[in-house]
Amino acid sequence: MSRRALLLALALDALGEPPARWHPVVWMGSYLKSARGRWQATTPAAQLLEGGLGWAGGATLAALAGGAAARLPWPAQGVLLKPLLACRALLSAVQEVEAALHAGNLPEARRLLAWHLVSRDTTHLSAAEVAGAAAESLAENLSDSVVAPLLAYRAGGLPLAALYRYANTADALWGYRTPELEWPGRVAARADDLLNLAPARLTAACALLAAPLLGLDGRAAFRAWRSGHRATTSPNAGHPMSVFAGALGVRLDKRGVYVLNPGGREPGASDLRAACRLAHLTLILATLCLMLPRPPARPARRGRP
């Protein structure tokens, strides 16, 4: 797929997000909310089928729309790829939390964290927990919201990029282990896990390379990754999150769920600034990897006469 379109999408991201009425991710969210509103199944098997069919319908629409757009010239593809990633929005959200913490306004930092970055209750989080949650979300969403759609586009063009963004949005809305979503959201959760296997590991590898270039502790980042990448409930999120924890030298603790880099210190507002620098360079290195030419296809071997 066009490397020029990929670079154009990244450049356009600096301009911010398009209006909601023209945003494809908003359209995906509307479909998912509408489909959920029509669920009627009551048994686990029927709920699994109903959720799976609803997911598949939206996935088909997303891939078909991406396939139609893939026929356009590369500048148009770059414009359409941009809404499928969100680097500026992610960094801006983390910086808002950082500013509130620097100002000593913990209630505002909690509010901004919940508004922009996490779905959990932030009401009783300490300042260190707010900073840690923001760093975790930055690392995870750098993979999910930036590297992954770019990798999907490089691998399969706009059809795969659109399918990925739909799958990630479906996981964000349906992929929870609650009584209501345990079965109907299972296909969405598993599909997102599968599609993020490669992006999470690419992001972690690039973060490992970026850490020493920024004067951060590359060896600690590797140790934290080696010991902590399986600590999270997600098979993917632990990879970039553990690298960020080790590189920053901080302990990332989600109460009762996981602890990454347990020997690190408590995170603070200044660590979010360093985390943003690490995210920037990680993205640059990941983009360079994605810009590499594909290996030439092997010629077909001729059979013996």
Side-chain angles (χ1 to χ4, degrees):
M1 303 305 118
S2 174
R3 287 174 281 180
R4 292 176 294 179
L6 187 150
L7 292 176
L8 176 59
L10 282 170
L12 291 174
D13 184 71
L15 301 177
E17 298 299 313
R21 65 181 180 274
W22 301 114
H23 206 303
V25 179
V26 175
W27 302 341
M28 293 172 186
S30 296
Y31 166 83
L32 290 162
K33 290 175 183 177
S34 175
R36 180 174 174 178
R38 295 193 297 271
W39 288 347
Q40 296 180 348
T42 56
T43 66
Q47 288 175 345
L48 179 64
L49 178 62
E50 189 172 55
L53 290 175
W55 183 93
T60 301
L61 290 173
L64 289 174
R71 301 175 183 178
L72 299 172
W74 73 262
Q77 290 193 38
V79 171
L80 294 173
L81 176 61
K82 184 272 157 267
L84 303 181
L85 54 97
C87 183
R88 177 182 171 178
L90 173 62
L91 292 170
S92 296
V94 174
Q95 289 161 358
E96 287 182 26
V97 174
E98 175 202 344
L101 288 174
H102 267 303
N105 192 342
L106 180 56
E108 178 65 3
R110 290 168 174 161
R111 185 191 71 81
L112 290 168
L113 178 68
W115 180 257
H116 292 303
L117 295 169
V118 302
S119 58
R120 68 179 111 156
D121 181 15
T122 63
T123 307
H124 303 293
L125 296 185
S126 67
E129 287 175 316
V130 169
E136 293 164 15
S137 185
L138 173 61
E140 181 179 6
N141 284 294
L142 178 65
S143 174
D144 291 0
S145 299
V146 188
V147 174
L150 293 175
L151 177 58
Y153 176 76
R154 193 74 178 96
L158 283 173
L160 186 56
L163 173 61
Y164 170 79
R165 176 47 67 198
Y166 167 79
N168 189 244
T169 305
D171 179 64
L173 294 178
W174 292 3
Y176 295 96
R177 303 193 71 174
T178 63
E180 185 181 4
L181 294 171
E182 171 73 22
W183 291 102
R186 183 160 294 197
V187 170
R190 294 296 177 266
D192 183 71
D193 287 345
L194 179 63
L195 290 171
N196 275 300
L197 287 173
R201 287 150 183 80
L202 174 61
T203 304
C206 291
L208 284 169
L209 294 174
L213 297 177
L214 293 171
L216 300 173
D217 196 334
R219 291 184 178 180
F222 180 76
R223 290 195 299 270
W225 168 79
R226 188 174 58 183
S227 63
H229 68 274
R230 295 180 180 176
T232 60
T233 54
S234 163
N236 302 310
H239 286 271
M241 285 164 50
S242 59
V243 173
F244 270 59
L248 298 172
V250 299
R251 169 190 171 102
L252 297 181
D253 186 350
K254 185 175 181 180
R255 293 186 200 178
V257 182
Y258 57 75
V259 178
L260 301 175
N261 195 34
R265 54 180 170 75
E266 285 194 338
S270 60
D271 293 305
L272 294 182
R273 186 169 300 176
C276 286
R277 292 199 302 271
L278 179 57
H280 271 295
L281 186 53
T282 298
L283 177 58
I284 290 172
L285 294 177
T287 302
L288 290 175
C289 290
L290 295 176
M291 295 299 290
L292 294 173
R294 295 180 178 180
R298 291 184 178 181
R301 296 181 63 182
R302 299 180 63 180
R304 293 182 179 179

